[in-house]
Amino acid sequence: MQTREEIIDVDSFVRRHIGPNEEEVRAMLGEVGFENLDALIDAAVPKNIRLNRQLNLPEAKSETEALAELRAIANKNKIVRSFIGAGYHGCITPPVIQRNILENPGWYTAYTPYQAEIAQGRLEALLNFQQMIIDLTALDIANASLLDEATAAAEAMALCHAVVPNRKTFFVADNCHPQTIAVVQTRAEPLGIEIKIGEYSRFKFDDAVFGALVQYPATDGAIHDYVDFVRQAHDAGALVVVAADILALTLLKPPGEFGADVAVGNTQRFGVPLGFGGPHAAYFATRDQFKRHMPGRLVGVSHDAEGRPAYRLALQTREQHIRRDKATSNICTAQVLLAVIASMYAVYHGPKGLRAIAERVHRLTSRLVDGLHALGCTITHENFFDTVRVEVESSEVILEHAAKADCNLRALGPRAVGISFDETTTPRDIELLMSVFRGTTVRDFADDDLGEPPLRIPQFAIRTSDFLTHPIFNTHDTETEMLRYLKKLESRDLSLTTSMIPLGSCTMKLNATAEMFPISWPEISKVHPFAPTEQAAGYMEICRQLEDWLAEITGFAAVSLQPNAGSQGEFAGLLAIREYHASRGEADRNVCLIPTSAHGTNPASAVMAGFKVVSVACLKDGDIDLADLRAKADEHARDLAALMVTYPSTHGVFEPTIREICEIVHAHGGQVFMDGANMNAQCGLCRPGDYGADVCHLNLHKTFCIPHGGGGPGVGPIGVAKQLAPYLAREFILDPETGRILFGEGERGKDPPNGGDIFDYRHGGGKGGNVAAAPWGSASILTITWMYIRMMGAEGLKRASEVAILNANYMAKRLDPHFPVLFKGKHGLVAHECIIDLRQWKNAGVEVEDVAKRLMDYGFHAPTVSWPVAGTMMIEPTESEPKHELDRFCDAMISIHAEIEAIARGRQDRQNNLLKNAPHTARQIASDKWDHPYSREQAAFPAPWTREHKFWPAVARIDNVYGDRNLFCSCPPVEAFQG
Ligand SMILES: Cc1ncc(COP(=O)(O)O)c(C=O)c1O
């Protein structure tokens, strides 16, 4: 037998990425009953969709080579001092946070904390985030992050509309960040919401207006007193959303204190790198009375089986995975990792530190203003925090001078420029800017030419209330304390650093370290999203290459990288379909067919895109019911817009009828949207664009190695067929002359939406509008996917999909005798995941949740529970897990099966048993009190490996019902943990 090294090149990344070696592959194939991988794939993947050639991708490179190549491209980005602002600011990531969170797989490889008992670390960090937002905004409740400030503003508009229904106008102040206005417009249009843009102080509310959005401080830096505006809105029965700068709120009166109903914003400047636009965590806070309309995840405090405080996700009944088309939002993956970083920045600096940072930024801005006054410049607004609007003869000339001095300012029209300061600004920057305004790059202004400048915050806006008074924000200001706190939380979470996380539909594969390196390179992390395009030449090259590679992998004509999560990709793809129909005079096509098995984001996105959802039934074997599909398509022949279909299906099989399904939809005038969450089963084997899909979204945080971050970031690009390409979400820039959003080439320029007087569309743009705040969405993490594809090459990607399918089938084969595999395709095979049925033990009182919790005692994270079928588990091993890890998991499940049998046969108590009491904590095991009819050893050390390495759940079983009935979503007092 050849050794692994003899078979495969030592330098090969593919070998490191794929778990099973040749020998293991052979052994598993033997179990599954196939001679070789080709035979297995031939049997599992329908012949009529197979790609019969190799993907046309550059040849695989080693880690070192790929890093060198990417570095050379990244070096084409130019890093200059940025004073652009517009919602994005330079900041300092405290090194202790950079190394121990951002660059730490213990944090970034975790999944969304649905299994709360083994996710207490990040749940605590997210609760800190919520507390931080509640305090800084002075509102009652905040969620655990949204995707970006612009989409958060759009979500706020949706909340206002839900609370004040039957009205159709939403006012947006022209002092908001341009990208926010543009995203709100994109979101409003399909819902029939009319957006009125104008000067807030002149706006007259009437009974058509359900809400209004203003920026605080305004995008040009002015601090306005919104008290009257809010009063007028409330008198007219409308709600007010305030988009507020998170750092400014340490000095400024918070929105909750002047009547705002919702506050949204970006927390990027709390330690998260610019990254050319993302990923960053947006925040969303509102009043208690609106909490059931909030989008996104919310962490709440409940208690565990021992009555101790424990954290969990609360009010999930609002969310798409439960309420589907009636959900408050389509948000699923959010920005957990970035929210954790921002919250830890606040923990590290504490209220005094944050205030000191804000004051310093403000005083430096004030000093610049004094200097500019001395030069005879006019500053438009007397009051500001960190951003000023300077009136100039020609912004073009000033921008040119600035460019020569290697700094970026923001044009605010032909005769004004904006300058924003941040935590990284130094007195040296003031010198630089003074010289720019003098028209010279020579130093001519000394630091001490001016005395201590006055605060320019007006009396009405001065913050007097305390914030971040909880001890958590006041005890970790040394690095030692901080490091230990981070490690304590990390140790409470089960991530991929402990064991496999076989979550179906989530593709928890290896996030290789080499893939992660580039996000920390300054050339990647320090670029402002609105930096002039020529400074982002490296990014452009990375994005173009990635678009080409993804188009080749999926078989589509064009790709947009802008959507910053799968949900946003769905929305963008459906918008493209909508615009396409409209362009053909078929705007009435508004029905979206969705199989009952679809992921909750599908119906929720369809509603956001203005479609009516019609369900299509599934057969007993899990396949789409073709007769029902035909009947529904016939019934809606005149108004059919789209079918949303997941492939391989959410039931874990390659349906042989997928081509036929697409043909039926096309024959009835509809377009096929493919949910590409399951792309990991297809790379190099088949391509959605070839077998009939018109648009497909990809989850780069699944198939393409971006880590889940404990619930985000994600990237959800879409690929589209030729006819939909003109309707992709378009690239845009901040116009260097006007400071407004300018779309790329396209048709929008001919027909600006909503009157368009605010925007200059002279270069045109995509009809889809922008779906994210930044032109390239979460650009910095695209490098992860770039690295993955570059290191895998065509052969490696294909091999990954093949082994993912083999691993799933091997597990299905091992588990089937104990837990029947619910759906199988031809030849009894599954795709890259399988659903096992646990409903037969319901009579014995054993629920699928009990098994999920018992797995924790064995050191495992449960597979996906009760989706898409209640009472089942969906297992997706991915290609990265070696055979012995698959076996370990199967052994755990088989051992749990014996424990269930003991209950079912009456050998164990129906209530007081190993499953119902799971998970067992160290505290319980060490307690003098033990009143269970099984041993401590059986409870906590049920398998040999737990003796060698035991992962202890931090809390016992959490009471979900109590948590929702007694909603508490901020940091509990320290005393709650005593005893
Ligand atoms: C099948 C499917 N579709 C869509 C999504 C939504 O993707 P995201 O969470 O990135 O919004 C998911 C994510 O879990 C999924 O599993």
Side-chain angles (χ1 to χ4, degrees), residues 206-538:
D206 59 33
D207 59 10
V209 183
F210 64 85
L213 169 69
V214 292
Q215 191 92 39
Y216 180 67
T219 193
D220 66 358
I223 300 174
H224 298 295
D225 186 352
Y226 291 123
V227 169
D228 278 347
F229 180 77
V230 172
R231 195 178 305 123
Q232 285 167 32
H234 288 169
D235 286 349
L239 303 186
V240 175
V241 181
V242 176
D245 181 280
I246 192 77
L247 186 62
L249 293 183
T250 62
L251 302 182
L252 302 190
K253 180 184 272 198
E257 290 179 14
F258 58 81
D261 301 289
V262 185
V264 297
N266 189 359
T267 61
Q268 176 265 320
R269 67 191 309 178
F270 275 17
V272 180
L274 285 165
F276 198 42
H280 313 134
Y283 72 81
F284 188 106
T286 188
R287 300 197 175 281
D288 187 67
Q289 72 219 72
F290 307 134
K291 61 178 179 255
R292 286 180 200 279
H293 294 289
M294 277 213 327
R297 282 162 187 147
L298 178 66
V299 178
V301 185
S302 183
H303 59 223
D304 73 355
E306 297 200 287
R308 294 175 58 75
Y311 311 120
R312 53 178 279 281
L313 294 178
L315 291 190
Q316 292 192 51
T317 44
R318 298 163 297 119
E319 292 187 56
Q320 45 69 32
H321 63 102
I322 299 195
R323 295 213 68 202
R324 304 176 72 79
D325 53 327
K326 298 195 179 54
T328 52
S329 155
N330 70 340
I331 286 286
C332 180
T333 294
Q335 301 281 22
V336 167
L337 189 72
L338 302 313
V340 169
I341 292 174
S343 77
M344 288 305 175
Y345 179 92
V347 168
Y348 187 59
H349 288 298
K352 285 199 199 106
L354 292 181
R355 220 175 218 289
I357 292 168
E359 271 185 17
R360 181 173 174 278
V361 172
H362 178 64
R363 285 197 193 276
L364 285 171
T365 316
S366 214
R367 190 185 289 190
L368 172 74
V369 164
D370 286 348
L372 291 176
H373 275 151
L375 285 183
C377 297
T378 305
I379 313 295
T380 312
H381 306 291
E382 224 178 282
N383 303 317
F384 51 81
F385 164 58
D386 66 352
T387 299
V388 291
R389 184 177 192 276
V390 191
E391 291 169 24
V392 294
E393 282 280 297
S394 156
S395 42
E396 202 182 330
V397 171
I398 290 288
L399 257 58
E400 255 170 45
H401 285 312
K404 281 190 198 130
D406 270 351
C407 65
N408 290 332
L409 308 185
R410 175 179 170 198
L412 288 170
R415 293 180 191 285
V417 294
I419 303 174
S420 276
F421 277 2
D422 59 49
E423 188 190 3
T424 67
T425 307
T426 64
R428 175 78 192 83
D429 292 316
I430 299 178
E431 293 169 18
L432 187 74
L433 288 166
M434 293 295 289
S435 63
V436 166
F437 277 84
R438 274 253 163 98
T440 156
T441 50
V442 180
R443 183 186 195 280
D444 62 355
F445 178 79
D447 300 358
D448 45 11
D449 283 358
L450 295 162
E452 181 72 348
L455 291 177
R456 259 48 177 256
I457 295 172
Q459 198 56 38
F460 70 79
I462 289 180
R463 179 167 194 143
T464 52
S465 52
D466 285 341
F467 56 89
L468 305 185
T469 53
H470 191 278
I472 213 80
F473 300 103
N474 294 280
T475 42
H476 301 95
D477 66 345
T478 66
E479 181 156 337
T480 306
E481 291 283 350
M482 190 68 192
L483 182 68
R484 290 182 186 151
Y485 182 55
L486 296 179
K487 284 289 159 191
K488 180 172 84 178
L489 295 196
E490 181 192 340
S491 72
R492 292 178 177 174
D493 286 12
L494 192 138
S495 70
L496 284 175
T497 60
T498 296
S499 55
M500 75 186 292
I501 301 185
L503 284 165
S505 205
C506 301
T507 317
M508 298 293 289
K509 56 162 67 172
L510 169 77
N511 315 119
T513 311
E515 291 156 5
M516 299 300 294
F517 273 179
I519 61 168
S520 299
W521 296 345
E523 298 80 5
I524 293 298
S525 67
K526 288 194 189 309
V527 186
H528 190 286
F530 299 133
T533 319
E534 59 278 10
Q535 288 175 19

Side-chain angles (χ1 to χ4, degrees), residues 541-563:
E541 195 169 327
I542 291 164
C543 291
R544 298 288 177 234
Q545 286 182 351
L546 198 52
E547 283 175 358
D548 287 348
W549 297 344
L550 293 176
E552 167 66 6
I553 291 166
T554 53
F556 284 113
V559 167
S560 164
L561 298 170
Q562 194 182 95

